[in-house]
Structure formats: structure tokens, C-alpha cells
């Protein structure tokens, strides 16, 4: 019972907190350039977990392991997260959330589940339904006009797709490395390494010259703290706990729910207009999530 409650809370976090992250990034980008924003986000989140590790008297890994965790942190956060933040300069938050379709990469790259994923009609059908819903959302968004899409929007879309690939590669590696050592220590190393990487990129791109600290908005600071503590630290820990206890194809369904959350936030807070087709698309996405979950439900009923 307690285990099931933990699983439910973790799924709620990756579904709804990460869904709201895109909107939070759009608010923070009004005051912070993308790489500096990412650096501050990772640094605050990483230091928060480090403080927890100190109080818990967690032991440091060996030097070789620290380097390995740092490199994977750069792949996971430097590739998977910074790419989305950078892209949101050129596309809206809800559109950015829609472009991310990590379940495809999870199914393709997770070799340990190939014998299950490619043979299970419910899983493949659910992924297909999710992709159909995503395509409908892209096609029906008021701002989506692929006939007149500019070069930077194309680069933003391709950057997010590449970032999704790196996120999945890093996620699968995290699952392998959870067999020993503290997950909190590893996560703090991941985040601090990604923060250093983002600081370097920020410096090389000249963001320091355009950053105006005196013009930072209060909403942007609140968004930064939300992204750092709630989204990056707490929800990421929930995510890596989930991929240890549940199939990655099931965990990856967050990337289908996140766009719905982002679109709804855009409608009710950002003032965007939602059409009937978009509602239908989101219902299709929900059916896709249900379909991917059905094998898990059948397993529970069988062994209840």
C-alpha cells in the first residue's frame, strides 16, 4: 500500500510538475538568458541536495566514479534540459513540450525491454496513439505554421529532438548505476557538473554582457526557485526512483501528459485559445497512456 502510494506520488510529480516546467521556463527566460538560467537552476538544485547529503553524512564516491557521474550529468542535463531551455527562446512553452517524444527513444534504446516492448500490442499501440495525439496538437496549435516556419524554429525543434535522445541515453545509464551508492550523492554530482558546464557555455556565448541583473523580475526569480527545487531536485529524484521500480516505457508516458499540462497552462494562464481538435488530441494522448499501462494492470490482477 505504501509502495503504491509512493509510485502514485512520483507519477503525479513527473506528469504535472514537469508539465508546468515549460511554462516556468518561459517566465524565467523573461529575465535570464538560457544558459545562465540553466546554470543557476542546476546549481541551486544541486546545492540543495548536497546540503541534504551533508546532514545525512553520505559518503563521497571514488574519484573515478565522481568523474563518471559528472560526465553523465552533463549528458543528461546539459543535453536533455539545456536544449529545451535554449529552444524556448524561439518556440512557445506548450509547443516545446509537444516536440519532446521520449517514449520513442526509450523503446528504441532500452535493449533490456525489446523482447517485451516490440511484441506487446498494447505498448506499441499506446505509443502510436500518443504520437498521433502529439501530431494533432502540433498541427492545430494557433502559432504552428509549418509553411512559414523560420530557420531558428527549425533549429529549435531539431535541438529538442537531439536533447530528448541525450536525456534517454542518460536516463538508461542512471538506471544501470543505481545498484550501488547514494542516489542523492549521485544526483548532486550530476547537477553541479551540469551547472559548471552551463556556466562555461554561458560565458563563451557572451551572456554575461547582455544580462541585466537590475531588471530581474520577481516572477522570474520565483520561477527559477520552482524550477530548481521542485522540478529539478525533487521531481528528478522521483523520476530516477521510478525508472528503477517501473518499466521505462511506462515511466516515459510523462512526455505525453506534459504537453497537455503545458497547453492547459497556456490556455488558463497564458491566454492561449484551445480548439476542439486540441481537446480530441489530448484525449487520444490519454488513451495512449492508458494503453501503455494496461500490461502493468493485467500483471497486478494476475498476481493479486
Amino acid at each position: 500500500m505504501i509502495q503504491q502510494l509512493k509510485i502514485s506520488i512520483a507519477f503525479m510529480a513527473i506528469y504535472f510538475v514537469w508539465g508546468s516546467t515549460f511554462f516556468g521556463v518561459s517566465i524565467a527566460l523573461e529575465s535570464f538568458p538560457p544558459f545562465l538560467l540553466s546554470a543557476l537552476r542546476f546549481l541551486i538544485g544541486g546545492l540543495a541536495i548536497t546540503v541534504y547529503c551533508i546532514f545525512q553524512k553520505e559518503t563521497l564516491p571514488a574519484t573515478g566514479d565522481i568523474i563518471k557521474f559528472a560526465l553523465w550529468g552533463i549528458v543528461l542535463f546539459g543535453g536533455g534540459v539545456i536544449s529545451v531551455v535554449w529552444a524556448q527562446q524561439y518556440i512557445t512553452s506548450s509547443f516545446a513540450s509537444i516536440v519532446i517524444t521520449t517514449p520513442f527513444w526509450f523503446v528504441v534504446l532500452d535493449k533490456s525491454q525489446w523482447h517485451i516492448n516490440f511484441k506487446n500490442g498494447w505498448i506499441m499501440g499506446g505509443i502510436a496513439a500518443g504520437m498521433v495525439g502529439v501530431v494533432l496538437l502540433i498541427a492545430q496549435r494557433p502559432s504552428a505554421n509549418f509553411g512559414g516556419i523560420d530557420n531558428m524554429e527549425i533549429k529549435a525543434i531539431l535541438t529538442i529532438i537531439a536533447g530528448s535522445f541525450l536525456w534517454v541515453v542518460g536516463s538508461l545509464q542512471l538506471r544501470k548505476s543505481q545498484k550501488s551508492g547514494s542516489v542523492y550523492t549521485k544526483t548532486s554530482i550530476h547537477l553541479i557538473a551540469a551547472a559548471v558546464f552551463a556556466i562555461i557555455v554561458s560565458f563563451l556565448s557572451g551572456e554575461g554582457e547582455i544580462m541585466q541583473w537590475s531588471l530581474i523580475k520577481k516572477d522570474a526569480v520565483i520561477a527559477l526557485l520552482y524550477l530548481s527545487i521542485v522540478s529539478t531536485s525533487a521531481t528528478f529524484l522521483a523520476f530516477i526512483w521510478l525508472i528503477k521500480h517501473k518499466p521505462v516505457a511506462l515511466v516515459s508516458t510523462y512526455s505525453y501528459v506534459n504537453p497537455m499540462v503545458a497547453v492547459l497552462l497556456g490556455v488558463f494562464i497564458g491566454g492561449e485559445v484551445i480548439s476542439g481538435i486540441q481537446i480530441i488530441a489530448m484525449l487520444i494522448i490519454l488513451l495512449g497512456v492508458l494503453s501503455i499501462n494496461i500490461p502493468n494492470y493485467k500483471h497486478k490482477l494476475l498476481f493479486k
Side-chain angles (χ1 to χ4, degrees):
M1 182 65 179
I2 295 178
Q3 179 76 353
Q4 187 57 46
L5 179 61
K6 289 181 180 179
I7 291 173
S8 298
I9 292 173
F11 269 110
M12 290 284 286
I14 64 172
Y15 279 174
F16 298 106
V17 173
W18 274 354
S20 65
T21 294
F22 299 91
F23 189 71
V25 168
S26 67
I27 295 174
L29 281 174
E30 294 178 3
S31 296
F32 298 97
F35 299 119
L36 180 59
L37 170 61
S38 299
L40 293 172
R41 174 183 176 182
F42 299 150
L43 188 61
I44 294 171
L47 290 177
I49 298 177
T50 300
V51 170
Y52 174 83
C53 291
I54 292 173
F55 276 105
Q56 293 296 314
K57 297 181 179 179
E58 301 277 3
T59 57
L60 278 175
T63 302
D65 288 333
I66 291 176
I67 295 174
K68 180 177 67 176
F69 297 151
L71 290 175
W72 280 113
I74 292 173
V75 171
L76 188 69
F77 291 101
V81 177
I82 295 179
S83 61
V84 179
V85 176
W86 178 86
Q88 280 191 228
Q89 297 176 105
Y90 307 104
I91 58 179
T92 63
S93 60
S94 50
F95 188 37
S97 70
I98 291 168
V99 175
I100 299 175
T101 53
T102 52
F104 170 79
W105 294 119
F106 273 118
V107 170
V108 171
L109 298 176
D110 187 14
K111 292 183 179 180
S112 66
Q113 295 294 313
W114 279 0
H115 66 288
I116 297 176
N117 292 338
F118 288 120
K119 293 181 180 179
N120 192 296
W122 287 110
I123 292 177
M124 296 306 294
I127 291 174
M131 290 184 175
V132 169
V134 166
V135 170
L136 280 177
L137 278 176
I138 293 175
Q140 292 300 318
R141 274 192 46 75
S143 60
N145 180 11
F146 286 95
I149 196 168
D150 63 36
N151 189 47
M152 291 311 299
E153 286 179 324
I154 294 174
K155 288 182 178 179
I157 293 170
L158 294 177
T159 298
I160 290 179
I161 292 174
S164 298
F165 170 82
L166 292 175
W167 175 265
V168 172
V169 170
S171 298
L172 293 175
Q173 179 61 32
L174 282 180
R175 188 180 63 176
K176 295 177 183 177
S177 67
Q178 287 191 69
K179 296 179 181 179
S180 62
S182 167
V183 66
Y184 298 101
T185 302
K186 294 175 184 177
T187 302
S188 66
I189 295 171
H190 291 322
L191 288 171
I192 292 173
V196 172
F197 172 77
I199 289 171
I200 294 172
V201 177
S202 176
F203 174 77
L204 294 176
S205 63
E207 286 185 344
E209 299 175 2
I210 63 174
M211 179 63 195
Q212 296 180 312
W213 295 97
S214 60
L215 299 180
I216 296 177
K217 299 178 181 178
K218 180 181 177 180
D219 289 347
V221 175
I222 294 174
L224 171 60
L225 293 175
Y226 175 79
L227 293 170
S228 303
I229 305 300
V230 180
S231 175
T232 302
S233 299
T235 306
F236 179 71
L237 287 171
F239 169 71
I240 59 178
W241 181 83
L242 271 177
I243 61 176
K244 183 179 179 181
H245 292 84
K246 290 294 177 180
V248 289
L250 176 60
V251 177
S252 69
T253 55
Y254 73 85
S255 66
Y256 289 149
V257 179
N258 286 173
M260 294 189 293
V261 176
V263 169
L264 290 173
L265 283 174
V267 171
F268 291 106
I269 298 180
E272 296 182 0
V273 177
I274 187 169
S275 67
I277 296 298
Q278 287 176 314
I279 295 175
I280 293 173
M282 288 190 288
L283 290 176
I284 292 174
I285 290 172
L286 279 176
L287 287 175
V289 173
L290 175 63
S291 179
I292 291 176
N293 276 274
I294 283 178
N296 184 54
Y297 297 149
K298 284 185 173 180
H299 179 82
K300 286 183 179 179
L301 290 174
L302 184 62
F303 293 96
K304 190 172 181 179

